[in-house]
Structure formats: structure tokens, C-alpha cells
């Protein structure tokens, strides 16, 4: 039976309902040949005498016949209407064995047009007649998202990215393994140009959005993109690690990030997190390796891992702030300048290598912040440390910076400002692993980095898990972003 979520969440120019793969399959095969005919032949609710209007396939039925329908059928229809009116998923058993979608709008229209209230009968009889009078409702044909054109690294455009997002949003469908493999290889070729330290300079009248851990929660990343818009020369987006592992749509999210990187190479950046490693992919519950190999092959997972190996572990933005997934390494105690990392080169498998450079890589991806000064032991393991406010201050002074942005830790509110306003932790996966945490992302304008970057309330944008983000809440979040851009002189590119 087709089961389609009625709630609409528009993205840009799209306004499509979410639909499960099973629903898409059912609707495609059952409605494809008859949707036009059914759409044109809506059975109206009975007028003054309470009978249903006739159609070519539905004969007129008397009141007594309608009232004598089985109680189970009436209860099923009553439940379906109640669910439809509350905006939940619904499925209706219509005439014969066909299962058709009862839309909320259709039910409301049928109720408003009904004249049963004027009929001289008891209220219970009216209810029975009304419920059973809706024989065949207008089918809201589920819009099966068309897959984007076959992947071509030279033809990844904004419209192609939108088509990919529509495919994922409306059916949880996938591209082919060959396309994902080609996408990963194209991203590897592009990523090799960056070193261990990514250096970004924001253009004038632009802003950057920093997204924390997302862990395969594709739908929540869509919430962020609905609010800030797709990347452009004036709208830079940085993913601060941990894109995969544990979440429900890991392949979809990573391929979206790759597509964004290929479509907007100068406006999308990714920092490596501890989950962008082979070890974590293999040993995490519902890890990325398991997810990929269940649907595709190990070869594809290795191609994705090759991309992870090329990612930088730190990003320097406009010589003002740095983004790192985990935290600062113990090398700060003896003096740690960014030039050291810049000239050190990449360590492609830090979780498997044994060297001083690999140890630094692992600390940058794993270390946590702490309110206690110095470096202290960490519950994550003997090789992981927690660093305090004095370490952050020393690092910032030596490198002439003003702020450290990190992720890696769940925060109940989605963020936390620490170390005397010198460090902020941002986490962008709401309801992570069944918890009740909110999520957040950060947004900084280019002109505010001239005299040093400080975290203020208007730099922080909180949001909730996708099922709780109604269209109204998404609109409020989008208005906040636009108000921020207007206040800070950010030019929007449509």
C-alpha cells in the first residue's frame, strides 16, 4: 500500500512531498496508467440527501446501503480521515483493491462541501454516511523525482546538484556504483591540490557557514541549505568533519558533499574528522564501511576512503580563525605554528601510521576541549588529550588569530562558547543517536574578520531534527540568515 508523507518542505524552487521507495514503487505502477482518469473523476460527497454522486465506475447507493457497511471498513476510513486531518501519513482503502492516497486538502474540501449537516438524521448516521461517502478521492499523484543526468565531472552544475537533492529527498534513491566511484575519483583529483592546511580568503561582501558533525543525517543538512542557500562566490560552506558513520543516509550525504565540491570548488571546503578514517568506518556501529558494502562493494568504499585521505585537518579562514574537527595538539606546549602543518604534508592514513606527524594528525581529529588548564587525560583513550583555555590562548597568540572553531562533541544546545570566548564548539546533528540534543551552525561575514573574529549571538543558528522542522520553522531560520546577511553587508547570489 502506498504510504506518503503529506508534509511539504520546499527547497529552493522545489515543493515536493517526501516519499519512501516502497511508496514510489507502488504509486508508479498503480497510478501511472490511471492517475489522469481518477483525477478527473472525483466522487463528490452527497449533497442534500446524503448520497454520493455517480461516476462512470460508481453506481448510486441508497442511505440504507451506505449505513450497512461493515464496521471494520468504517473504522478504517474514520482512522484514515483523522490521520489525514492531523497531517500524518495515511492510506485509504478505496473502491476495489486499489489503495489511494487520501490527501489532507481533499478531506477538508469534502467536509466543507458536504451538506449532510442539513439532512434530517442523527449525528451518528451523518458521520457514518460521510465516512462511507468518500469512495474514491482525488489521487495526489506522487511526484517521482527524476534522476539527474548521468554523472559527468565536467557537467556538475547547480541544476544537477538540485536534481540530485530532489532524488534523495523524494525517494531515498541512489545513483549507480560507477557514478559514485567516478564522483569520488574526481573529488580526489581536485582535493590533491590542497595541503594539510586549507587556506581560505573570503571575498568581499561574502559570508561563510560552518557546519559541525552531521554523521549521515542528510535531511538535517538539507535544513541548513534551505536556510543559507546553495554555495556561491558570496556564500562559502565548510563542513568541519564527521560526515559519515551512524546516520540513516550516509551515502546520500557524502555524495551530496562531493557534488557540491565539484560544482562549487572554491566555495565548498571539508575538514577531516576522526570518522573520515578506515578504522572508524569499520568498527563503528552502523559504520560507513558496512553501509556501503551492504548496497554496493568494498571497492566503492575504498574509493571514498581515498577521498578522506586527501582532506586537510585544519582550515585557516581569512587569517582570523581556524577550523579543526577535534582540538589542539600537545605540540602547542612547545610552540605550534601553522606553517609547521602547512609544510608537513598530508598523512593519508593517520589511524594506521606510526610517526610524529600521524600523532599530530590524530590529536587534531580526536582531542577535546576542557575548562582545566593544560593538557589532561581523556576518557576516549590514552592517546587522546583534553586541552584547556591556556592552550587555546597560547596557540592564538603565536599564530596571530582570534578564534578556534571545533566540533567532535555533542552539545545539548548544538553549540558551546568556551575558553573566554576564544573557542566555540558546534555540532550539527540534532537528535544524535536518539538523544534530545538540538543542532547549530555558525555564520561569519567577511567584513567582521578584518579586526578579529568574535562569537556573538547572531553568529549562531540553532535548529531541530527534520521531523520537527515545519515549513514555518524553516522559514523563520531562513529569515534570520537573511537578516544577518543584510546587517553585515553580505551580497546574496541567486
Amino acid at each position: 500500500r502506498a504510504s506518503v508523507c503529506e508534509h511539504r518542505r520546499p527547497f529552493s524552487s522545489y515543493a515536493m512531498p517526501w516519499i519512501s521507495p516502497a511508496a514510489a514503487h507502488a504509486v508508479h505502477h498503480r497510478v501511472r496508467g490511471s492517475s489522469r482518469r481518477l483525477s478527473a473523476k472525483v466522487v463528490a460527497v452527497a449533497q442534500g440527501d446524503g448520497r454520493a454522486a455517480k461516476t462512470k465506475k460508481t453506481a448510486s447507493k441508497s442511505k440504507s446501503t451506505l449505513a450497512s457497511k461493515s464496521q471494520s471498513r468504517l473504522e478504517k476510513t474514520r482512522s484514515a480521515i483523522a490521520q489525514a486531518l492531523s497531517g500524518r501519513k495515511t492510506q485509504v482503502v478505496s473502491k476495489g483493491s486499489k489503495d489511494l492516497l487520501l490527501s489532507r486538502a481533499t478531506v477538508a474540501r469534502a467536509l466543507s462541501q458536504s451538506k449532510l449537516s442539513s439532512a434530517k438524521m442523527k449525528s451518528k448516521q451523518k458521520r457514518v454516511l460521510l465516512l462511507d461517502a468518500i469512495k474514491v478521492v482525488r489521487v495526489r499523484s506522487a511526484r517521482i523525482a527524476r534522476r539527474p543526468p548521468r554523472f559527468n565531472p565536467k557537467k556538475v552544475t547547480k541544476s544537477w546538484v538540485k536534481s540530485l537533492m530532489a532524488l534523495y529527498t523524494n525517494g531515498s534513491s541512489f545513483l549507480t556504483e560507477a557514478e559514485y566511484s567516478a564522483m569520488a575519483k574526481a573529488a580526489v583529483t581536485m582535493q590533491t591540490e590542497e595541503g594539510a592546511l586549507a587556506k581560505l580568503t573570503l571575498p568581499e561582501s561574502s559570508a561563510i557557514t560552518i557546519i559541525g558533525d552531521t554523521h549521515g543525517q542528510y535531511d538535517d543538512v538539507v535544513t541548513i541549505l534551505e536556510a543559507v542557500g546553495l554555495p556561491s562566490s558570496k556564500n562559502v560552506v565548510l563542513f568541519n568533519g564527521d560526515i559519515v558513520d551512524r546516520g540513516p543516509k550516509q551515502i546520500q550525504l557524502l555524495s551530496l558533499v562531493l557534488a557540491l565540491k565539484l560544482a562549487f570548488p572554491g566555495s565548498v571546503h571539508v575538514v577531516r574528522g576522526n570518522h573520515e578514517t578506515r578504522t572508524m568506518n569499520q568498527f563503528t556501529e552502523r559504520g560507513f564501511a558496512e553501509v556501503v558494502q551492504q548496497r554496493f562493494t568494498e571497492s566503492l568504499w575504498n574509493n571514498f576512503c581515498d577521498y578522506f585521505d586527501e582532506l586537510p585537518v585544519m582550515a585557516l579562514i581569512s587569517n582570523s580563525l581556524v577550523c579543526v574537527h577535534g582540538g589542539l595538539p600537545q605540540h602547542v606546549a612547545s610552540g605550534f605554528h601553522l606553517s609547521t602543518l602547512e609544510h608537513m604534508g598530508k598523512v593519508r592514513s593517520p589511524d594506521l601510521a606510526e610517526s610524529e606527524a600521524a600523532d599530530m594528525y590524530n590529536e587534531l581529529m580526536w582531542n577535546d576541549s576542557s575548562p582545566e588548564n593544560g593538557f589532561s587525560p581523556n576518557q576516549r583513550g590514552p592517546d587522546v588529550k583534553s586541552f584547556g583555555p591556556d592552550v587555546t590562548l597560547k596557540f592564538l597568540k603565536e599564530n596571530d588569530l582570534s578564534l578556534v572553531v571545533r566540533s567532535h562533541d555533542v552539545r545539548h544546545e548544538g553549540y558551546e562558547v568556551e575558553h573566554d570566548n576564544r573557542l566555540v564548539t558546534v555540532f550539527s546533528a540534532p537528535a544524535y543517536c536518539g538523544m534530545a540534543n538540538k543542532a547549530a551552525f555558525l555564520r561569519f561575514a567577511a567584513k567582521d574578520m578584518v579586526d578579529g573574529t568574535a562569537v556573538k549571538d547572531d553568529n549562531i543558528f540553532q535548529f531541530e531534527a527534520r521531523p520537527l522542522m515545519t515549513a514555518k520553522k524553516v522559514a523563520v531560520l531562513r529569515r534570520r540568515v537573511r537578516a544577518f546577511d543584510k546587517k553585515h553587508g553580505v551580497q546574496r547570489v541567486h
Side-chain angles (χ1 to χ4, degrees):
R1 293 178 178 178
S3 174
V4 182
C5 181
E6 283 295 293
H7 185 62
R8 289 174 176 264
R9 295 182 177 89
F11 173 77
S12 185
S13 61
Y14 292 91
M16 298 185 177
W18 289 5
I19 177 171
S20 68
H25 180 79
V27 172
H28 177 69
H29 288 283
R30 291 186 177 184
V31 180
R32 179 177 57 180
S34 58
S35 61
R36 292 182 180 177
R37 172 172 50 81
L38 289 174
S39 297
K41 298 176 182 178
V42 181
V43 179
V45 177
Q47 298 301 316
D49 58 358
R51 292 178 298 171
K54 294 182 180 180
T55 64
K56 294 180 180 179
K57 283 200 169 185
T58 306
S60 177
K61 295 186 178 181
S62 64
K63 297 179 185 179
S64 59
T65 304
L66 292 173
S68 64
K69 286 293 184 179
S70 66
Q71 188 64 28
S72 61
R73 172 79 177 277
L74 294 176
E75 288 298 329
K76 187 178 294 185
T77 312
R78 180 183 291 110
S79 175
I81 290 179
Q83 289 181 13
L85 290 176
S86 62
R88 300 176 183 176
K89 290 181 179 180
T90 179
Q91 54 188 22
V92 167
V93 178
S94 64
K95 185 173 179 60
S97 60
K98 293 184 178 180
D99 300 328
L100 301 178
L101 176 66
L102 179 62
S103 72
R104 183 177 180 179
T106 301
V107 176
R109 184 166 57 253
L111 291 174
S112 64
Q113 293 176 352
S114 173
K115 294 184 180 180
L116 290 177
S117 58
S118 62
K120 296 181 179 180
M121 59 184 74
K122 296 181 180 179
S123 59
K124 185 176 181 180
Q125 290 176 320
K126 295 177 188 177
R127 182 62 172 166
V128 169
L129 288 172
L130 176 60
L131 291 175
D132 204 44
I134 306 177
K135 288 297 175 184
V136 180
V137 296
R138 183 170 186 172
V139 178
R140 179 198 211 172
S141 300
R143 292 185 231 179
I144 312 244
R146 297 179 182 176
R147 77 179 314 281
R150 189 167 183 81
F151 173 77
N152 183 336
K154 296 181 180 180
K155 296 182 179 180
V156 183
T157 61
K158 183 176 182 179
S159 61
W160 193 91
V161 172
K162 285 186 174 183
S163 298
L164 181 67
M165 295 182 69
L167 178 72
Y168 289 161
T169 302
N170 291 284
S172 299
S173 301
F174 294 87
L175 301 182
T176 64
E177 180 172 349
E179 288 177 291
Y180 285 134
S181 181
M183 192 180 294
K185 291 177 181 179
V188 167
T189 302
M190 181 178 294
Q191 203 68 54
T192 51
E193 300 174 2
E194 286 187 336
L197 174 68
K199 301 177 74 173
L200 324 177
T201 300
L202 296 183
E204 186 179 355
S205 305
S206 67
I208 183 169
T209 298
I210 301 174
I211 302 173
D213 297 42
T214 49
H215 284 290
Q217 296 184 196
Y218 167 85
D219 297 323
D220 298 310
V221 174
V222 171
T223 296
I224 298 175
L225 294 178
E226 285 179 345
V228 303
L230 287 178
S232 68
S233 59
K234 302 295 185 180
N235 187 30
V236 181
V237 176
L238 185 143
F239 293 88
N240 202 26
D242 280 10
I243 296 170
V244 297
D245 284 343
R246 298 197 177 105
K249 293 185 178 181
Q250 300 177 40
I251 299 174
Q252 292 95 322
L253 178 54
L254 178 58
S255 60
L256 172 62
V257 173
L258 295 179
L260 290 172
K261 180 65 178 177
L262 294 172
F264 314 100
S267 302
V268 176
H269 304 274
V270 184
V271 173
R272 191 175 192 175
N274 61 304
H275 281 271
E276 277 74 57
T277 57
R278 288 171 171 80
T279 303
M280 291 302 293
N281 286 177
Q282 289 176 311
F283 295 104
T284 301
E285 184 178 357
R286 189 167 169 72
F288 188 54
E290 175 189 352
V291 169
V292 174
Q293 293 176 48
Q294 280 180 349
R295 180 168 288 273
F296 299 108
T297 65
E298 184 178 358
S299 176
L300 178 59
W301 173 64
N302 284 323
N303 289 334
F304 285 137
C305 288
D306 290 340
Y307 170 70
F308 295 156
D309 289 340
E310 297 296 335
L311 293 175
V313 286
M314 185 176 281
L316 172 63
I317 303 171
S318 295
N319 293 318
S320 180
L321 67 86
V322 292
C323 288
V324 61
H325 177 73
L328 301 176
Q330 297 180 74
H331 295 73
V332 174
S334 57
F336 176 66
H337 199 275
L338 292 180
S339 59
T340 304
L341 182 62
E342 187 175 4
H343 296 110
M344 182 177 65
K346 294 177 182 177
V347 181
R348 286 176 168 74
S349 298
D351 52 325
L352 304 175
E354 293 185 5
S355 65
E356 183 179 353
D359 291 341
M360 181 186 297
Y361 252 66
N362 285 321
E363 288 193 63
L364 288 167
M365 293 189 295
W366 278 93
N367 281 1
D368 290 321
S369 59
S370 169
E372 300 178 4
N373 284 333
F375 287 93
S376 55
N378 190 298
Q379 61 181 1
R380 295 181 188 270
D383 297 328
V384 182
K385 303 297 180 182
S386 297
F387 63 97
D390 60 327
V391 177
T392 301
L393 182 60
K394 185 175 188 296
F395 170 76
L396 293 175
K397 283 187 175 180
E398 289 181 351
N399 290 277
D400 193 24
L401 302 171
S402 57
L403 183 68
V404 174
V405 177
R406 64 178 296 274
S407 301
H408 193 45
D409 285 337
V410 181
R411 293 293 190 263
H412 182 71
E413 295 299 320
Y415 75 97
E416 184 175 358
V417 180
E418 308 169 74
H419 296 182
D420 300 322
N421 237 20
R422 301 279 186 169
L423 181 142
V424 58
T425 298
V426 59
F427 195 84
S428 304
Y432 178 60
C433 292
M435 291 185 280
N437 66 291
K438 293 181 181 179
F441 61 89
L442 306 177
R443 191 165 175 84
F444 297 97
K447 76 171 189 177
D448 296 332
M449 295 190 179
V450 177
D451 299 323
T453 307
V455 182
K456 301 177 182 178
D457 289 342
D458 65 348
N459 296 119
I460 302 166
F461 298 82
Q462 291 177 287
F463 63 98
E464 298 175 290
R466 187 68 184 188
L468 300 176
M469 290 298 292
T470 61
K472 183 178 180 180
K473 289 184 178 180
V474 173
V476 170
L477 188 62
R478 188 185 299 114
R479 284 197 295 270
R480 269 205 63 203
V481 171
R482 291 182 178 179
F484 172 89
D485 291 351
K486 184 176 181 180
K487 177 181 177 182
H488 296 268
V490 177
Q491 180 181 345
R492 299 189 64 85
V493 177
H494 300 286

